[in-house]
Structures are given as C-alpha cells and as structure tokens.
Amino acid sequence: MALYLFKRINVNLLLFNVCVHGRFHCVIYLQVFNAKTAELLSHHQVEIQQRFPKEGWVEQDPKEILKSVHECVERTCEKLQQLNIDITNIKAIGVSNQRETTVVWDKTTGEPLYNAIVWLDLRTQSTVERLLKRIPGKNKSFFKFRTGLPLSTYFSAVKLRWLLDNVEEIRQAVDDGRAMFGTIDSWLIWSLTGGKNGGVHCTDVTNASRTMLFNIHSLEWDPELCQFFDIPVEILPKVRSSSEIYGLMVCFLVLSFQCLGDQSAALVGQMCFQDGQAKNTYGTGCFLLCNTGQKSVFSQHGLLTTIAYKLGRDKPVCYALEGSVAIAGAVVRWLRDNLGIVKTAQEVEKLAAEAGTSYGCYFVPAFSGLYAPYWEPSARGIICGLTQFTNKKHIAFAALEAVCFQTREILDAMNKDCGIPLNQLQVDGGMTNNKVLMQLQSDILCIPVVKPSMPETTALGAAMAAGAAEGVGIWSLNPGDLTAVTCERFEPQINPEESEFRYARWKKAVMKSMGWETSEAPSNGDTSIFCSLPLGFFIMSSMIMLIGAKYVSG
C-alpha cells in the first residue's frame, strides 16, 4: 500500500510551491521563484500528519493541509522581507498537486465531510471488482478511449464512489445540494479564494483527466461516465485550462490562481514541449511522461493516455503517454521507517555503494499492487533470491535497483507505443540526488540519464504556467526565451548483456509477486446502483470504444 502523499503548491514572483511527502508525517513545501531567471528565492516547509486508519487506507486532513499552506505563505513572505525582497512583487500562485487524491466538503460551512483519500489508498478494490462484473468481459480498459485510463483504485471516481457508498454525511450533503468534490487543487483554490463566501470551485484539465469522469477529447465531464459511477455532475468543479486566472486570493497580497497536475508540471518544468520529449519524476512513486503533442496516443502496452497541459484558454490541448509506478522513493522510506535498517534516507545510498551489487537479491516493492504496465492490484511486495550471505547492504542495493527496473518496464512499453526509442532520459524529483540510483538507472536502461541542476522541476513548471497566464504575463514559455538549464549526465557503465540478464531476473521476481491478495465484493444483498444501469449504456460505450479504436488506428 501507499505510504506517502506528494502534493505541491507553487507561487511565482514568483510562485509558491507546496510539496507533500513522508511516512507518518508529510511535508508541505512552498517555494518562490524569480520569473526572469527561474532562480529559487525562498521556501518554507511544514510537516503534517498522514493517517492509516486501516490496512491499505491512506488519508490526510484537508483542514490541516489548508492551515499549513497559510503558515507557509506567512513564513515565506517573512523570509523574503528579511532578504529585502518586496513581497508585492509576487504576482501569482501556481498550484501543483498529486492528481487523484479526493476530497468532498460542505459549501455552506466550508468544512470537509471526510478526510482526503490519498491516491495510493486501496480501500476501493472491492468497488473496482464490483464495477468490473458489470462491464462486458470484465474489461479494465473499457473506457480507455474516452478517459485514457483503466479502471483502477488509483483514480478519483472510484474513491468518490466509495465515499458516497460509505459516508452518510456525504450522501446527505449530496441530497441537500451542499456537497463539493475536488482533488487537492480544487479544495485549496476554493478555500483560498473565499471558501463559503464565494470561493471558486474549479480544476484544470490535467487534474480532471485523472478522475475517470472526464472525456479527454471533448474536454468536458462525460454524462455517461457520471451515470456509470452514479456521481452527480453538480458536485464536480468547473474545468479550466492550466494557465489562466481562476480567481484571486485576498490576504496581505492579492494574487491570482492557476493550477497544473504535478506530473504535467514536471513535464513543463523540464521544457518537454516537443512531440517525443519525455521526463521521469522520482518522488514517492515514479512517473514517466512522453509528450505526444495534439494527438492522443492510446497504449497497447499498459500505459495511460493523459492530458499533458493546456497552457491557455485558447491554446490547444497537448497529450502524453504516462507510465505510473506506485512505489519509488517510498521504498527507501520503508527501509528506514518500517524495517529500521537505516536512520536516514541518505544511508541507503551509502549502503548500496558499499555493496556494489544485490548479490542476486531482487526486491519487488508492490506495496500497493503493481501499476503500469501491469495494473495488477493483487500483487504484493516480495524480496527474493536471499541467501545466508545477504545483508542489509544488498537489500539497499536491490531497493534502488527496483526503482530502476520499474522505470525500465515503463520505458520499454513507451518505446513500443511511440515507435521511436528514447536516446536519453530526462529526470527530476528528490530521488535524483542519489548518484548511485542515477548511475544504476543509466546502466539498466542502457542510455544516458540527464538530471537538471534543480531537481524540483515540478515546482518550476507550475510557476512557469502561472506566470505565463493571460493577465499575469511575467513568464515566457517560448523555448528561445527560457533560461538554459545546467545538467548532470550519467552514462551507462555496464555492458548490455549484463543489464538484460539482471532485468530478466527482475521480471521473474515480478511474476512471483502477483496473485497474493483478493478482495471479492459481497455476492449477497448487493444493492449497488450499478445493477440498474441499462444495457443500452454498455452498447453505446462499446460503440464508442470501436469508434475510438478506428480513430487511433487511422
């Protein structure tokens, strides 16, 4: 299961960035950038609690997140004043968040009606299985040509369906017309632009495209998908582009808001504006995105089709192929917090460097099942190939190698779907500070890995999108105007035969991790609304799938 949430808010000078990650604690970061030089001027961070009420459940308190954001804003501005930087130069706030974490709140009181359900939460597995029984052939990809997504615990619609099925306060609020749904970006923007006194209820296309309720072609909430999940469209936020003014935050400053999902923000921050350019972000999980331009490419190898960005109300939408890995940095924190074999995350790099090999040990960190390219929720983490010689150094090496092998699986799938193999991989995120990991990644991919001097490009991307919005206009997204980025480059140091041997052993371990868990929905007394959906709904959906398939092949 998931151990961490990674959430960001960014503001631009110009921009604040807020990131969340941790085991039992999460950290909200707020960062301020200079719009002309992309220099990081100041930042502040606040720890918040992450809750695990049951096995597989991961929650956060939306009010605590909001309170921490206020604190970050105040403390960061104080630091700017100490640096003799005029805070009135701050022009906009760019919000970047992990896209699937789900919140429902009461618009009359401004209070959350339940804790936020985090993207890695697994409680909805029985909901997914119940849904699959009502889809012809139990096809997880039944809605792929509309949403770009497989049916999974990952996405917001099933989390929202679980809340409606299990939380009486939310059901009542929906009946009374008081409920509002959103991902963390929507909750923060609504709260900070007035809340119950006229707050703006909106999201952007990148966040909307991760709900399974959004048609990625029409760029609107899909009525038939809302019917399928029995979610009233009235509770959904208005969908905007990723770079326009949504509303104003009035405090000691008046700031305009924009937002961009975290992985899309990293794509922008890495300046991957051309078709075929790709980046991989190493945070709690791993997220490899390849820009496919204005064409939505549908994977035949387990990847997602998602909206990369829409940088302006009148600008075209751009799409991406995405490979999502649930556990990356989380495995390092698991070694520290759960096993206690290290006291700091940095020690893992030291141990791995001392080992220099896993000595035949392979670690599959399927704590929340396996995401792309398998989409297998029954998988669970395993460590195999152990001998009496194996020690914590080998396990540390195997943990880092697991992150690299998972990325290799994603990249292989992406190369097959795109038809043009990447000749280098651009990387970002906190884990890229680990030089052993970066060298391992290059060795396992057999291509160079290129890391920018500032690894937190998610924050930078959200700042760029907000600063470029019409009405703000302080940041140019013209590639010729963008500041050149200093990079560190890692070249492969092992022969391809050794890389292939280790990768094949990893794949063998992955197969052994599958099929550990099942979560069958009750067969008696199932009064779910999905039983009552008309056959015509499925016939229409099947026709749309066929049309979509023809569109893609044509």
Side-chain angles (χ1 to χ4, degrees), residues 408-471:
R408 166 73 186 270
E409 291 190 297
I410 298 300
L411 191 62
D412 281 358
M414 198 162 281
N415 286 339
K416 291 173 185 175
D417 282 324
C418 293
I420 305 175
L422 289 180
N423 56 19
Q424 68 176 31
L425 181 65
Q426 294 176 228
V427 299
D428 59 80
M431 284 193 84
T432 60
N433 292 321
N434 186 321
K435 293 184 182 296
V436 172
L437 175 70
M438 292 294 96
Q439 185 58 56
L440 271 173
Q441 187 67 88
S442 179
D443 290 344
I444 289 167
L445 297 181
C446 300
I447 60 174
V449 168
V450 180
K451 172 197 165 188
S453 56
M454 188 187 75
E456 287 298 341
T457 55
T458 300
L460 179 61
M464 292 165 63
E470 184 179 354

Side-chain angles (χ1 to χ4, degrees), residues 124-143:
T124 56
Q125 184 54 38
S126 61
T127 303
V128 170
E129 289 171 1
R130 191 169 71 243
L131 283 165
L132 281 173
K133 289 178 180 178
R134 291 161 177 83
I135 291 177
K138 295 185 178 180
N139 182 5
K140 292 180 182 178
S141 299
F142 192 73
F143 299 120

Side-chain angles (χ1 to χ4, degrees), residues 90-247:
I90 298 176
K91 303 300 182 186
I93 301 177
V95 180
S96 176
N97 59 292
Q98 286 184 327
R99 298 157 292 178
E100 299 84 10
T101 299
T102 299
V103 188
V104 180
W105 65 94
D106 188 323
K107 66 182 178 183
T108 61
T109 66
E111 295 291 312
L113 294 167
Y114 194 81
N115 278 339
I117 299 181
V118 176
W119 62 286
L120 279 167
D121 188 284
L122 288 176
R123 75 187 68 188
T124 56
Q125 184 54 38
S126 61
T127 303
V128 170
E129 289 171 1
R130 191 169 71 243
L131 283 165
L132 281 173
K133 289 178 180 178
R134 291 161 177 83
I135 291 177
K138 295 185 178 180
N139 182 5
K140 292 180 182 178
S141 299
F142 192 73
F143 299 120
K144 181 174 76 171
F145 293 109
R146 268 196 263 189
T147 67
L149 313 173
L151 186 60
S152 166
T153 60
Y154 187 11
F155 306 110
S156 304
V158 284
K159 293 177 171 64
L160 181 53
R161 183 65 255 159
W162 186 93
L163 288 167
L164 291 166
D165 287 338
N166 293 276
V167 182
E168 175 59 34
E169 292 86 348
I170 290 179
R171 283 199 297 268
Q172 190 60 55
V174 170
D175 291 342
D176 295 344
R178 295 180 285 110
M180 283 184 162
F181 154 81
T183 42
I184 293 294
D185 58 305
S186 297
W187 161 247
L188 290 175
I189 292 171
W190 182 83
S191 299
L192 295 172
T193 56
K196 62 183 180 181
N197 298 313
V200 177
H201 187 210
C202 70
T203 189
D204 86 311
V205 290
T206 64
N207 281 289
S209 72
R210 310 295 288 199
T211 60
M212 287 208 80
L213 300 172
F214 190 69
N215 188 309
I216 61 173
H217 308 293
S218 68
L219 304 184
E220 295 177 344
W221 299 118
D222 191 299
E224 290 185 345
L225 290 171
C226 290
Q227 179 190 6
F228 178 74
F229 289 101
D230 194 27
I231 291 171
V233 72
E234 294 79 17
I235 73 172
L236 305 179
K238 183 176 181 180
V239 182
R240 313 282 286 272
S241 78
S242 309
S243 182
E244 63 177 276
I245 296 175
Y246 306 152

Side-chain angles (χ1 to χ4, degrees), residues 362 401 405 440 494 498-506:
Y362 289 86
E401 206 171 33
F405 285 133
L440 271 173
I494 66 173
E498 181 182 348
S499 175
E500 289 301 320
F501 174 79
R502 286 155 62 177
Y503 183 48
R505 300 267 285 184
W506 155 263

Side-chain angles (χ1 to χ4, degrees), residues 275-529:
D275 294 14
Q277 290 185 316
K279 67 86 199 174
N280 196 32
T281 298
Y282 298 75
T284 298
C286 246
F287 302 89
L288 178 54
L289 269 69
C290 180
N291 191 333
T292 63
Q294 297 179 42
K295 180 181 179 181
S296 53
V297 176
F298 291 90
S299 174
Q300 300 300 314
H301 302 93
L303 303 182
L304 309 177
T305 304
T306 196
I307 293 180
Y309 49 77
K310 187 177 188 295
L311 298 175
R313 191 178 308 175
D314 301 319
K315 297 295 177 68
V317 64
C318 288
Y319 297 90
L321 274 175
E322 175 173 340
S324 307
V325 170
I327 303 297
V331 73
V332 173
R333 298 184 190 104
W334 183 82
L335 293 177
R336 181 193 67 193
D337 299 339
N338 291 46
L339 294 193
I341 66 173
V342 293
K343 293 183 179 178
T344 67
Q346 290 70 29
E347 286 182 56
V348 173
E349 179 179 8
K350 182 175 180 291
L351 290 175
E354 290 174 358
T357 176
S358 69
Y359 201 77
C361 172
Y362 289 86
F363 191 162
V364 182
F367 302 151
S368 297
L370 291 169
Y371 282 19
Y374 301 102
W375 298 106
E376 183 50 68
S378 72
R380 287 297 179 269
I382 64 169
I383 302 176
C384 59
L386 301 176
T387 70
Q388 286 183 312
F389 182 73
T390 306
N391 60 39
K392 65 180 182 180
K393 295 179 182 180
H394 301 125
I395 292 174
F397 190 97
L400 296 185
E401 206 171 33
V403 175
C404 301
F405 285 133
Q406 290 179 105
T407 299
R408 166 73 186 270
E409 291 190 297
I410 298 300
L411 191 62
D412 281 358
M414 198 162 281
N415 286 339
K416 291 173 185 175
D417 282 324
C418 293
I420 305 175
L422 289 180
N423 56 19
Q424 68 176 31
L425 181 65
Q426 294 176 228
V427 299
D428 59 80
M431 284 193 84
T432 60
N433 292 321
N434 186 321
K435 293 184 182 296
V436 172
L437 175 70
M438 292 294 96
Q439 185 58 56
L440 271 173
Q441 187 67 88
S442 179
D443 290 344
I444 289 167
L445 297 181
C446 300
I447 60 174
V449 168
V450 180
K451 172 197 165 188
S453 56
M454 188 187 75
E456 287 298 341
T457 55
T458 300
L460 179 61
M464 292 165 63
E470 184 179 354
V472 180
I474 57 173
W475 207 313
S476 171
L477 296 182
N478 185 329
D481 298 332
L482 296 172
T483 304
V485 178
T486 305
C487 295
E488 184 176 4
R489 190 177 179 91
F490 296 84
E491 300 281 351
Q493 293 183 355
I494 66 173
N495 62 57
E497 290 77 16
E498 181 182 348
S499 175
E500 289 301 320
F501 174 79
R502 286 155 62 177
Y503 183 48
R505 300 267 285 184
W506 155 263
K507 300 279 280 186
K508 185 177 179 181
V510 169
M511 293 300 106
K512 294 182 181 299
S513 76
M514 294 187 185
W516 284 89
E517 294 291 336
T518 59
S519 177
E520 291 296 328
S523 58
N524 297 323
D526 186 353
T527 57
S528 165
I529 51 89

